[in-house]
Amino acid sequence: MTATAPTCMTDPALERIRERVLAGERISVEDGMQLYETPDLWGLCELAHEVRMRLHGPVAYYNVNRHLNYSNVCALSCKFCEFARKAGQPGEYTRSLDEIREEGRKAAELGATEMHIVGGLNPYLPFSFYTDMLRALKEVAPRVHFKAFTAVEIVHLARIAKVYKRDDRRGSMRWVLEKLIEAGLGSLPGGGAEVFDDRVHKEAFRGKIGSDEWLDVHMVAHELGLNSNATMLYGHVDHRAERVRHMHILRRMQDQALARLGYDGSDTPPDDICEAPTITLTREAVDLPTPTLGQGYYQTIIPLPFVPDGSALEHLPGPSGLENVRTLAVARLMLDNFPHAKAFWIMQTLGLAQTMLHSGADDLDGTVVWYDITKVGGTGTHQETTAWDLQKAIIEAGFEPIERDTLYQRVERNGPDWRVVN
Ligand code: V47
């Protein structure tokens, strides 16, 4: 273990956790709560920063991407959601395949490496719409990676394809994912996880799939070799303890995914995956999973601060800037087996996301272009930033900006032309 820098932490409990974290030990749920409650916020940020530096050094990532929300028609009525509309309601839309193709063409023309595609649970679209959408996009943008459909959409697709079986949920998910992979799906985004807790589920997103199904979709995706991300939508009716439990559940699931890939320090995955050992990427001599295609694990944790504007929970204030910084730092420290922590600038704002590069984050997401799920400050859906703005934010924070593709491979760019370099 390398010598650690002296510290001036003012909270003895934090100091004790720091010693264990820097020795490569895993912290407990109780530790997670102490991190959340510590009065020494800057000590917490410093610790998360040390871990982030150990994992990634002085670089920070961004990508050139484009988000596509194909339809806002949704059968659900989640209280935190401002995006969803019922069919016939003013503002509802469903993009045609021609419009979608046009989005793909623009993405390819402008040199995007990724399209991030999600939508509402539209009961009027057949399963073929989704495979046709991916095929159409693949045709016009063959080099672009399609990170598409939350776990919630995957279960909805199993239902509309009439393959959903309660007693063989995973089989239904597998069927859907295999068809989507065949059509061009590259990975799963982390949306729809919200907070893995029955009380919060009942109060804020009753009717949506529960945590067990969300986790099953990602597990099956990992088994099929797809990488995925995980979000946590916090700061509405949830409590800090529920967030720490959410992180704990994700950490256990990632242990299993990494053990399946042999990242337990030995070469062979254990026979019984439930016996997966803990895998702490920040422990010395444990490398990150090499970012190659199709391995099947969680890449990135993305804490999403609740944006109240326009939702049924608009009367709530949403989390403060400091709570956002604290949550990002706790997530970085609890999720010691997640390679990356993202500060999604659209929801955090670019200024705060930049600050978070010093409290655990190593990634800002990308150029986005069009984002319809939340509209910070009630602005329109055009929420583009340029690669230069992201680079500038990263450089100003004292890091080297690295353009990455969806799987965190380095990208070298000359205008819209790009290639992966390793
Ligand atoms: O699934 C909905 C959340 C998610 C609100 O995987 C809200 O790289 C805040 O998942 N306030 C979509 N959040 C965004 C998402 C995402 C974003 C960036 C990167 C990645 C990735 C994934 O946003 C939804 C839902 O969980 N959400 N409404 C709201 N009012």
Side-chain angles (χ1 to χ4, degrees):
M1 180 61 43
T2 47
T4 55
T7 177
C8 53
M9 284 175 175
T10 55
D11 175 8
L14 181 59
E15 184 56 44
R16 280 194 295 278
I17 295 173
R18 176 176 186 269
E19 278 164 24
R20 299 217 317 278
V21 166
L22 296 183
E25 281 176 36
R26 171 159 285 187
I27 58 173
S28 65
V29 166
E30 292 70 34
D31 294 331
M33 272 319 285
Q34 289 207 316
L35 293 177
Y36 245 130
E37 301 296 337
T38 182
D40 185 4
L41 175 61
W42 301 122
L44 167 66
C45 292
E46 192 184 308
L47 182 55
H49 187 63
E50 283 193 63
V51 165
R52 171 249 191 269
M53 289 301 281
R54 189 180 276 191
L55 281 167
H56 304 291
V59 306
Y61 299 98
Y62 69 96
N63 71 351
V64 174
N65 66 354
R66 195 178 185 91
H67 284 240
L68 168 66
N69 305 125
Y70 55 88
S71 175
N72 64 355
V73 175
C74 188
L76 296 174
S77 305
C78 302
K79 288 192 184 159
F80 54 74
C81 184
E82 189 283 320
F83 166 69
R85 298 286 183 278
K86 299 296 170 207
Q89 207 183 332
E92 63 122 321
Y93 65 81
T94 299
R95 304 281 176 239
S96 69
L97 281 182
D98 280 344
E99 287 169 323
I100 289 169
R101 216 175 267 116
E102 187 49 28
E103 284 297 299
R105 211 174 279 126
K106 279 192 262 178
E109 225 172 74
L110 296 170
T113 60
E114 169 189 283
M115 279 185 87
H116 179 155
I117 306 166
V118 291
L121 306 191
N122 187 327
Y124 306 101
L125 293 172
F127 180 69
S128 57
F129 174 85
Y130 298 86
T131 45
D132 288 350
M133 164 159 60
L134 287 170
R135 287 206 177 88
L137 286 168
K138 202 83 207 155
E139 227 174 79
V140 295
R143 295 187 67 214
V144 172
H145 178 111
F146 302 110
K147 179 173 82 178
F149 314 126
T150 65
V152 188
E153 287 162 278
I154 300 296
V155 173
H156 172 69
L157 295 195
R159 291 182 200 277
I160 58 172
K162 301 205 170 19
V163 296
Y164 186 85
K165 292 197 195 90
R166 208 169 274 284
D167 57 354
D168 183 22
R169 274 191 339 218
R170 291 181 188 165
S172 339
M173 295 163 185
R174 181 176 288 270
W175 185 92
V176 169
L177 287 167
E178 280 172 348
K179 292 278 177 276
L180 295 174
I181 291 169
E182 236 174 75
L185 179 70
S187 63
L188 292 189
E194 325 315 5
V195 176
F196 298 147
D197 181 86
D198 289 348
R199 182 194 68 81
V200 182
H201 183 262
K202 213 158 130 190
E203 278 189 41
F205 49 100
R206 191 197 287 267
K208 202 171 206 162
I209 59 168
S211 49
D212 49 348
E213 282 202 272
W214 191 97
L215 294 163
D216 269 358
V217 169
H218 283 254
M219 194 182 81
V220 174
H222 296 159
E223 284 172 358
L224 291 172
L226 292 182
N227 282 0
S228 72
N229 295 333
T231 56
M232 177 180 75
L233 165 52
Y234 65 93
H236 38 94
V237 301
D238 54 301
H239 303 146
R240 284 172 166 179
E242 291 152 349
R243 299 178 210 164
V244 175
R245 273 204 303 276
H246 179 98
M247 297 175 199
H248 182 235
I249 292 169
L250 283 174
R251 189 170 74 180
R252 279 185 11 220
M253 298 311 289
Q254 176 78 325
D255 271 343
Q256 295 187 8
L258 292 179
R260 235 179 266 119
L261 297 170
Y263 281 99
D264 59 341
S266 71
D267 291 337
T268 37
D271 289 339
D272 181 359
I273 210 72
C274 297
E275 296 299 311
T278 60
I279 299 157
T280 311
L281 295 178
T282 49
R283 200 180 293 147
E284 257 184 337
V286 179
D287 290 330
L288 296 176
T290 17
T292 50
L293 288 168
Q295 288 193 318
Y297 58 89
Y298 289 104
Q299 301 187 129
T300 309
I301 176 68
I302 310 151
L304 299 173
F306 169 52
V307 178
D309 312 24
S311 75
L313 297 177
E314 197 171 31
H315 54 285
L316 298 177
S320 69
L322 289 183
E323 187 67 5
N324 292 340
V325 171
R326 189 183 282 273
T327 300
L328 200 294
V330 175
R332 177 59 286 170
L333 292 166
M334 279 297 290
L335 290 164
D336 56 13
N337 55 5
F338 271 56
H340 300 280
K342 183 186 287 186
F344 183 40
W345 70 266
I346 286 271
M347 290 188 198
Q348 302 283 10
T349 73
L350 187 53
L352 194 61
Q354 179 189 40
T355 309
M356 286 173 172
L357 294 175
H358 284 274
S359 63
D362 60 279
D363 189 3
L364 299 179
D365 202 79
T367 45
V368 176
V369 183
W370 187 269
Y371 198 70
D372 212 16
I373 312 278
T374 52
K375 296 141 190 111
V376 177
T379 52
T381 48
H382 189 90
Q383 296 184 57
E384 182 170 14
T385 193
T386 62
W388 170 236
D389 283 332
L390 295 172
Q391 289 165 9
K392 203 156 46 117
I394 291 171
I395 293 167
E396 199 185 73
F399 297 92
E400 180 194 349
I402 301 284
E403 184 182 340
R404 61 163 180 89
D405 69 0
T406 310
L407 302 171
Y408 288 86
Q409 303 177 103
R410 283 185 184 221
V411 168
E412 211 173 72
R413 175 174 296 278
N414 181 10
D417 294 331
W418 58 272
R419 67 187 185 103
V420 168
V421 286
N422 271 318

